[in-house]
Amino acid sequence: QVQLVESGGGLVQAGDSLRLSCAASGSTFSRYAMGWFRQAPGKEREFVASISWTSISWTGISTSYADSVKDRFTISRDNAKNTVYLQMNSLEPEDTAVYYCSARAGGPRRSWDDYDYWGQGTQVTVSS
């Protein structure tokens, strides 16, 4: 079992930056791939970014991004703090959504229904 709590959302202007955090508890965080998804009003939940899990035998981690956020957003994780981050730069009004953190055992995926655990979400609103 993994419990996830997001924070860091807010109201910003276009071009601004935000960093979302997702604190995990309840299990071995480093063994879970993590993902960020978002859902705007009236739209389906969509993939934003994912990051693979790490272990002592793993020499590197892999990340993946939606085309719409590539080169603007960066996902990272700090296993010592049981936290995954989403650094969002050059925000656009189209980025307005509730952002959700998710976790799954095994490799990262881009489909929301492949993830087992979810946070409650944090609102990000970007004004033009």
Side-chain angles (χ1 to χ4, degrees):
Q1 288 283 345
V2 178
Q3 293 79 45
L4 304 172
V5 178
E6 303 98 332
S7 61
L11 172 63
V12 296
Q13 294 186 333
D16 285 352
S17 297
L18 275 177
R19 188 177 79 159
L20 305 183
S21 299
C22 173
S25 61
S27 189
T28 307
F29 174 70
S30 63
R31 295 180 180 176
Y32 287 84
M34 304 297 295
W36 284 98
F37 291 78
R38 67 187 182 186
Q39 189 166 19
K43 295 186 177 182
E44 293 186 353
R45 190 169 299 191
E46 65 174 1
F47 170 78
V48 175
S50 66
I51 188 166
S52 59
W53 64 285
T54 57
S55 71
I56 58 174
S57 61
W58 193 253
T59 58
I61 60 174
S62 65
T63 58
S64 179
Y65 298 92
D67 288 343
S68 60
V69 307
K70 197 174 295 183
D71 299 327
R72 297 189 299 123
F73 291 10
T74 302
I75 188 171
S76 62
R77 65 190 300 160
D78 185 337
N79 289 339
K81 296 182 178 179
N82 284 2
T83 301
V84 63
Y85 303 98
L86 186 67
Q87 177 67 43
M88 306 186 295
N89 298 329
S90 303
L91 282 162
E92 303 169 352
E94 292 74 23
D95 296 317
T96 295
V98 177
Y99 283 71
Y100 297 91
C101 173
S102 59
R104 73 182 304 273
R109 296 290 186 271
R110 299 169 71 97
S111 177
W112 67 268
D113 55 4
D114 285 328
Y115 285 78
D116 303 308
Y117 305 101
W118 292 88
Q120 82 289 348
T122 185
Q123 177 71 46
V124 172
T125 303
V126 184
S127 63
S128 58

